Amino acid sequence: MRNRHFRRTARTSALGTAALLAALTLTACQGDDQAAADSAPAPSAPSEQPSDSPKAPADQQKDSTGSDADSGSASGSDSVSSSGSTHAEPAAQKPKDTAKDTGADSGPVTRACDGGNTKVTITAVTRPINHMLLTVTNTGSKACNAYYYPFLAFGEAQAVPPVYEESKPQAVVTLSPGQSAYAGVMTSSADGSGEGGYSAKDLTVSFQNRQGSGSTGPSSNVPLAKPVYVDSTLKVTYWQATMTDALTY
């Protein structure tokens, strides 16, 4: 009887001991977990990153319509400068008709200079000796051509004096209104070799036509400051663009 009670008591004691050990073990595990949690570093706050999330429809509409003051002015300026569709380019202006303003022909000049659209003068020069300078100035409203060389008639002369062929220019001299052309005139020989000399008190100048087949238009009566002595060596140059060229021969 005593042994049975002893075994029962021993079994009960063993069960109580086991239960106590289990409770102690559970308590120790919970303590370790809490310590580990306390010792673990706290998670740091996430760093601020650019937002890649899509904007709200209202914000998207604000950006696309340019209602924002800064973005709207920039995008509007860029679109105008790049496309240029906000305003039309001015129409090209028609070139001004300079021919009407200057009186020059709009196409190639074919009109011949003559006594009706020019003024002619003649002056004595010191070099070359026995030479004079003939000047024709366009007094008209349109350009004219001084074709070939002038036909001269001193006094009552019937024949036209010959020309210095070597003085022929490369191109016809064209005179716009106000411009002048020149011709050199040798009146007599310097060594006295000329024949049939006489003193002329007046001069008539005629102009050649485009074809060079004769005179054209009215002639010019040129007053002489004093009588001019001429002889058989009387000769003239082609019309030149400069006085220097006219007095070379």
Side-chain angles (χ1 to χ4, degrees):
M1 187 73 177
R2 181 180 302 176
N3 289 337
R4 184 184 301 172
H5 178 74
F6 176 77
R7 286 196 297 274
R8 183 181 300 169
T9 301
R11 185 182 305 126
T12 301
S13 177
L15 292 175
T17 301
L20 178 61
L21 291 175
L24 291 176
T25 301
L26 179 62
T27 302
C29 289
Q30 290 179 347
D32 292 339
D33 292 340
Q34 183 65 34
D38 293 340
S39 62
S44 59
S47 59
E48 186 176 354
Q49 298 293 333
S51 176
D52 293 332
S53 60
K55 296 182 180 180
D59 293 337
Q60 293 178 351
Q61 182 178 6
K62 180 179 178 181
D63 291 344
S64 63
T65 58
S67 60
D68 182 78
D70 294 337
S71 63
S73 61
S75 62
S77 174
D78 292 341
S79 64
V80 171
S81 61
S82 61
S83 65
S85 60
T86 59
H87 62 85
E89 292 294 332
Q93 295 182 355
K94 184 179 180 181
K96 190 176 180 181
D97 189 355
T98 56
K100 293 182 179 179
D101 294 341
T102 62
D105 293 338
S106 58
V109 177
T110 59
R111 178 184 176 90
C113 298
D114 58 37
N117 56 18
T118 63
K119 178 182 179 180
V120 183
T121 60
I122 191 167
T123 54
V125 296
T126 56
R127 297 290 179 183
I129 192 172
N130 294 345
H131 275 66
M132 301 187 78
L133 179 67
L134 194 67
T135 302
V136 57
T137 303
N138 185 349
T139 58
S141 60
K142 295 183 178 180
C144 66
N145 289 332
Y147 289 114
Y148 304 101
Y149 56 93
F151 291 158
L152 305 182
F154 281 94
E156 300 299 326
Q158 299 298 316
V160 174
V163 66
Y164 289 99
E165 288 295 343
E166 62 271 27
S167 69
K168 186 175 182 179
Q170 294 182 350
V172 175
V173 180
T174 300
L175 303 181
S176 296
Q179 290 185 328
S180 299
Y182 310 92
V185 180
M186 187 181 77
T187 57
S188 59
S189 63
D191 57 4
S193 60
E195 299 176 352
Y198 63 95
S199 293
K201 296 180 181 180
D202 52 57
L203 170 64
T204 301
V205 177
S206 299
F207 298 82
Q208 296 193 55
N209 58 28
R210 183 182 182 185
Q211 293 75 24
S213 58
S215 62
T216 183
S219 300
S220 294
N221 294 320
V222 183
L224 300 175
K226 61 181 182 179
V228 176
Y229 181 80
V230 296
D231 61 20
S232 59
T233 60
L234 177 63
K235 213 168 185 180
V236 67
T237 69
Y238 280 83
W239 289 115
Q240 307 291 329
T242 67
M243 291 184 288
T244 302
D245 290 340
L247 297 175
T248 301
Y249 306 93

